[in-house]
Amino acid sequence: MADGIQVVCPCCQTKLTVDAASGEILSEERPRRTKSFEEALSELRSSSRKREDAFAKAFERTRRLDEILEKKFKEAQKKTEGDTAPPVNPLDLD
């Protein structure tokens, strides 16, 4: 390309083609990163642990939610035990 400048990024080694007039990036070529077997296996194990941890946290939240809802229900029952007034019918409010 006559009107493009090719630049290589020092951080990631991406080859950029930049328009000389506007400074816009016309194209980019990222180098393909290959992983070793050990790196791939390590990522797989860590993702498995992350999934297990997320499941354990969700399970614990659900278990605690049941306890909290049970306490709220019992508290509401206590409030209504002493109340002898009939409940308000929403249709009577018109």
Side-chain angles (χ1 to χ4, degrees):
M1 293 187 137
D3 59 340
I5 301 171
Q6 296 214 349
V7 180
V8 177
C9 177
C11 297
C12 62
Q13 304 302 317
T14 300
K15 296 176 185 174
L16 303 170
T17 304
V18 182
D19 184 34
S22 66
E24 294 291 321
I25 297 173
L26 301 175
S27 67
E28 65 180 75
E29 290 179 41
R30 295 184 183 210
R32 192 165 192 171
R33 183 174 181 262
T34 57
K35 296 179 186 177
S36 69
F37 179 74
E38 289 79 19
E39 288 175 339
L41 188 59
S42 173
E43 281 185 16
L44 182 64
R45 287 182 179 153
S46 68
S47 66
S48 176
R49 275 186 242 125
K50 287 178 186 176
R51 284 192 307 270
E52 289 173 3
D53 290 343
F55 178 77
K57 286 179 185 177
F59 182 76
E60 186 64 27
R61 270 192 310 249
T62 303
R63 189 178 63 77
R64 277 190 262 133
L65 180 66
D66 290 343
E67 292 173 3
I68 291 171
L69 290 176
E70 184 67 30
K71 287 179 183 178
K72 286 183 178 184
F73 180 73
K74 287 182 181 180
E75 190 66 31
Q77 275 183 327
K78 287 179 187 177
K79 286 182 181 179
T80 59
E81 285 177 356
D83 191 12
T84 57
V88 177
N89 187 348
L91 298 176
D92 292 340
L93 297 176
D94 288 339

